[in-house]
Amino acid sequence: MMMAACGTKEVKENTIAEQLADRLLTLRQNGYMMGHQDAPMYGVTWDGTYRGDSAELGKCDVLATVGDYPAVMGFDLGGIELGDTKNLDSVPFTRIHDELIAHHERGGIVTVSWHPRNPLTTAPLGGLDGQKFPEGSAWDVTDTTVVASILPGGSQFEKFQSWMQKLGDFLQTLKTKDGQPVPIIFRPWHENNGSWFWWGQKLCTDDEFRSLWNMLQDYLTKERGFSNLLWSYSPNLDGKWTEERFMQRYPGNDRVTLIGEDAYQWGTEEDFKRDLTADLTFLSGFAEKNGKLLAMTECGLKNMTDSTWWTRVLKPIMDQYPLSYFLLWRNYKEEYFGPSPELPCAADFKKLYEAENTLFLKEIEKIK
Ligand code: BMA
């Protein structure tokens, strides 16, 4: 944070992340934003991850469905830690770089997650570019000492330091044409109350988890000086939060600006509604009490098996809470969570688009 002298008064200059938080607060007065993971990279019927294929540049399933871009776009940096050229979903990092900056420059908001490989079990040189779910991926939970192994004194400490460095090197390149760092909602160590990632609930102690969070945050903010990252803490849909349980791994009010959760309907509609309502009631109360922003950091119904799900199930619940945004997960041909013009759910998505309180790019681009 910079302090500039102005006459006798000290005037505080907001960091880029603080400016983003202010913008999110302003935008929230108009409703909540629609977000989509990997929106400009590929869709249900197309793959634009090949840089040479210029016909696919700027393409986006949400755009094709409603004529507007999502307000928020999400990107994942899994694979950057080993210097891969493509992320775990086969998206070239050069492309992530370009699309992320392009979305910021068109007035949108960007969020970044990270599925780093398992530092203890990954092969010495890592997997192939774009490869995932081998042994050694973020989902490799065969060993419960991984987090301990990368903390100071652990056997993989040096290795993980170099992984953080590679992450930092990539983040460093995310600048506008005039050299300004892009404001980013940064969302590491997500879904940590589940046990499917090596940083999950049963894979480390509360203290180890907090040390992991702090090590990455202190490295990026203190050592590397990133002041454009708005830190987001996003566990998974739980259904049974109590303040005591939530606090066990919450990194702390001084370390988090936005809280939210990843909430998919994997089971019945009834269970989903009940759990999401319970969680958002708890999280919104916590956010209000602690001065935090609130979001559905990931959500969706896989392959839209119910074509009215957005306006019938999701929206009525979201309408009750002061959310900044909801981010539908990626549209991949085998696994899609967003709309596409030829799908039955396109009609429902248009209704979502037309609702007054849902914000897409055109409704936020002028509000800086
Ligand atoms: C998961 C799935 C995977 C993907 C990962 C990271 O939820 O969509 O296919 O690799 O997210 O994007």
Side-chain angles (χ1 to χ4, degrees):
M1 200 167 302
M2 285 168 54
M3 303 288 277
C6 172
T8 52
K9 275 199 199 135
E10 289 284 305
V11 178
K12 191 174 132 214
E13 280 180 29
N14 284 345
T15 64
I16 293 174
E18 287 166 343
Q19 288 166 26
L20 173 58
D22 286 346
R23 185 180 181 207
L24 290 173
L25 274 175
T26 307
L27 288 169
R28 201 172 70 176
Q29 292 165 10
N30 301 339
Y32 48 83
M33 296 183 281
M34 190 267 148
H36 200 192
Q37 181 73 3
D38 273 350
M41 303 303 190
Y42 47 82
V44 177
T45 60
W46 55 283
D47 184 355
T49 55
Y50 302 99
R51 248 185 115 59
D53 192 349
S54 55
E56 308 288 21
L57 292 175
K59 205 170 160 170
C60 167
D61 279 348
V62 169
L63 180 68
T65 308
V66 295
D68 199 354
Y69 279 110
V72 179
M73 287 189 185
F75 304 99
D76 195 274
L77 302 186
I80 200 70
E81 65 279 359
L82 284 172
D84 288 353
T85 60
K86 292 178 183 169
N87 82 350
L88 75 172
D89 296 322
S90 298
V91 186
F93 283 108
T94 48
R95 190 68 193 283
I96 295 178
H97 171 273
D98 294 356
E99 294 287 3
L100 185 148
I101 295 171
H103 192 57
H104 167 67
E105 292 196 324
R106 64 167 79 96
I109 285 171
V110 295
T111 177
V112 163
S113 54
W114 187 31
H115 287 82
R117 283 194 184 74
N118 183 317
L120 189 60
T121 60
T122 197
L125 296 174
L128 300 170
D129 264 9
Q131 184 183 333
K132 63 174 183 180
F133 301 126
E135 253 180 48
S137 73
W139 290 265
D140 186 338
V141 289
T142 51
D143 193 305
T144 56
T145 64
V146 184
V147 174
S149 81
I150 63 175
L151 293 175
S155 64
Q156 307 301 313
F157 175 76
E158 294 298 338
K159 184 199 265 180
F160 198 74
Q161 294 294 305
S162 78
W163 285 18
M164 293 195 302
Q165 190 178 347
K166 289 209 180 62
L167 172 73
D169 291 349
F170 182 77
L171 292 173
Q172 192 92 45
T173 67
L174 301 174
K175 294 196 171 136
T176 60
K177 281 185 226 85
D178 44 3
Q180 286 301 308
V182 173
I184 295 169
I185 300 171
F186 187 60
R187 193 171 71 86
W189 312 133
H190 60 300
E191 301 176 11
N192 68 325
N193 54 331
S195 295
W196 45 84
F197 294 130
W198 57 259
W199 56 88
Q201 183 75 39
K202 295 193 181 129
L203 286 298
C204 57
T205 64
D206 296 343
D207 280 351
E208 284 165 355
F209 179 79
R210 268 200 298 267
S211 301
L212 174 72
W213 180 282
N214 295 353
M215 182 168 76
L216 179 64
Q217 188 169 39
D218 290 348
Y219 173 73
L220 291 175
T221 54
K222 295 185 186 156
E223 275 187 54
R224 300 292 294 261
F226 288 104
S227 56
N228 58 322
L229 304 178
L230 186 156
W231 289 76
S232 159
Y233 179 66
S234 90
N236 196 65
L237 181 66
D238 189 281
K240 295 189 183 61
W241 284 124
T242 59
E243 176 127 5
E244 195 194 344
R245 261 191 61 236
F246 187 79
M247 290 308 288
Q248 282 164 4
R249 295 195 178 198
Y250 180 62
N253 278 341
D254 53 339
R255 291 183 170 273
V256 171
T257 303
L258 182 148
I259 61 167
E261 64 176 26
D262 294 3
Y264 294 90
Q265 184 185 311
W266 298 120
T268 68
E269 182 182 312
E270 207 187 349
D271 288 352
F272 177 73
K273 284 178 170 168
R274 186 199 55 227
D275 290 348
L276 185 60
T277 303
D279 283 10
L280 287 179
T281 301
F282 168 74
L283 292 171
S284 61
F286 185 91
E288 197 188 338
K289 214 163 54 180
N290 294 278
K292 302 299 161 198
L293 292 156
L294 180 72
M296 298 265 287
T297 43
E298 284 183 29
C299 60
L301 173 68
K302 184 173 167 176
N303 297 348
M304 287 309 290
T305 46
D306 172 349
S307 62
T308 60
W309 188 78
W310 290 312
T311 61
R312 207 176 47 73
V313 179
L314 188 63
K315 185 172 185 294
I317 299 177
M318 294 197 299
D319 284 351
Q320 298 169 46
Y321 302 97
L323 291 163
S324 284
Y325 68 91
F326 68 104
L327 182 109
L328 298 177
W329 202 240
R330 66 205 197 106
N331 267 15
Y332 180 55
K333 56 183 179 305
E334 285 153 27
E335 178 202 47
Y336 57 87
F337 299 87
S340 183
E342 72 290 345
L343 295 174
C345 61
D348 193 55
F349 195 79
K350 283 181 197 146
K351 275 168 74 183
L352 193 68
Y353 178 70
E354 279 152 20
E356 273 204 6
N357 63 339
T358 56
L359 311 175
F360 288 67
L361 181 70
K362 286 177 192 160
E363 289 151 300
I364 73 152
E365 62 193 350
K366 302 255 149 45
I367 306 172
K368 292 285 172 170

